[in-house]
Amino acid sequence: MDTDNSILQLIKHFKEIVVLDDTDVELIVPRLEIKKINRKEYLLQPGQVSRHMRYIAKGSMRVYYIDEKSQEYTLQLGIENWWINDLYSYLSGKTSRMFIQANEPTTLIQISQKNLEILYKEVPNLSDFFRLKMQSAYVALQERTIENMSIDAYSRYNAFIKDYRNLEQRFPQYIIASYLGITPEFLSFLRKKHASGIS
């Protein structure tokens, strides 16, 4: 995918939610930065501050946290047309506790916080876009938190493959397991159970 197509892809993504005219697009495009990262490369690590909003044009990424016992917890997965970030670090200006890592060779489009603040004034509809995106992210996080506390692992797995059909083939089993809060061995069991249709 070349640069022009990546930018067009993001503009189309914006226009799916808010109205942008040609003048708006002309203001937005110069403030975008394309970043390519290799598989396993980190975009953000603990101790760094997130200063960009990041859109995945091509590839896949994950956000994860490692606790004091060296246990990994995958908090977010991302593929094409998704946004990925540590919003806590971005919004608070505090250092991140998360790792953001490419699962595949990935092309991102970044907008720095400074440029985004300028665009909010120049293109008010872009402010609406990000407000709606952040509201959606908050709702999804709350839903996932409640599901993890109240729904059994098999139901969580079924909901995952129903809602995110394309993700299971894109990420290694240990990452999917970490995202669901189970071991890779138990994920294998759940897959077999699902395949056999046993409830």
Side-chain angles (χ1 to χ4, degrees):
M1 175 182 291
D2 62 32
T3 297
D4 290 340
N5 283 341
S6 298
I7 298 293
L8 289 172
Q9 182 181 333
L10 176 56
I11 297 301
K12 180 182 176 186
H13 178 70
F14 285 145
K15 288 182 174 180
E16 288 169 356
I17 296 177
V18 295
V19 175
L20 298 175
D21 61 26
D22 291 344
T23 303
D24 294 331
V25 172
E26 287 173 7
L27 290 167
I28 293 168
V29 170
R31 299 199 179 273
L32 304 177
E33 173 195 351
I34 293 186
K35 186 176 182 72
K36 295 191 177 188
I37 57 175
N38 299 318
R39 181 177 176 270
K40 298 286 188 184
E41 188 177 345
Y42 290 100
L43 185 64
L44 187 75
Q45 296 188 65
Q48 298 175 330
V49 177
S50 177
R51 301 192 190 279
H52 295 81
M53 292 299 288
R54 299 175 173 105
Y55 169 83
I56 302 173
K58 183 179 180 182
S60 62
M61 304 195 74
R62 69 165 175 150
V63 179
Y64 68 97
Y65 166 75
I66 299 179
D67 69 13
E68 63 280 356
K69 297 178 182 176
S70 298
Q71 179 72 39
E72 274 187 24
Y73 298 90
T74 298
L75 306 176
Q76 184 185 355
L77 303 173
I79 58 172
E80 291 85 3
N81 296 315
W82 292 20
W83 294 82
I84 196 151
N85 206 353
D86 177 353
L87 280 178
Y88 171 81
S89 176
Y90 179 85
L91 294 171
S92 70
K94 295 182 179 178
T95 56
S96 179
R97 291 174 284 180
M98 311 297 176
F99 295 86
I100 304 181
Q101 184 184 39
N103 176 61
E104 302 168 340
T106 299
T107 301
L108 296 156
I109 301 178
Q110 300 189 142
I111 311 174
S112 72
Q113 202 164 28
K114 180 181 176 182
N115 278 333
L116 198 51
E117 290 298 329
I118 292 168
L119 285 172
Y120 284 163
K121 295 173 184 174
E122 294 179 342
V123 186
N125 281 357
L126 206 59
S127 177
D128 290 342
F129 174 88
F130 282 102
R131 175 179 55 81
L132 292 168
K133 278 291 177 186
M134 288 187 193
Q135 287 174 354
S136 177
Y138 178 78
V139 169
L141 175 63
Q142 191 170 61
E143 284 179 345
R144 183 163 174 239
T145 301
I146 291 169
E147 278 184 5
N148 284 346
M149 292 188 296
S150 61
I151 299 176
D152 65 87
Y154 184 60
S155 298
R156 287 203 310 273
Y157 173 70
N158 280 333
F160 174 80
I161 59 175
K162 178 185 173 189
D163 294 341
Y164 306 113
R165 188 176 303 273
N166 298 327
L167 291 188
E168 196 174 16
Q169 286 73 41
R170 299 283 296 273
F171 290 88
Q173 183 165 309
Y174 79 94
I175 291 178
I176 300 294
S178 171
Y179 182 80
L180 293 172
I182 58 179
T183 65
E185 293 77 17
F186 193 49
L187 177 58
S188 289
F189 167 76
L190 294 180
R191 281 177 164 167
K192 289 173 186 171
K193 182 178 178 180
H194 179 79
S196 65
I198 301 170
S199 58

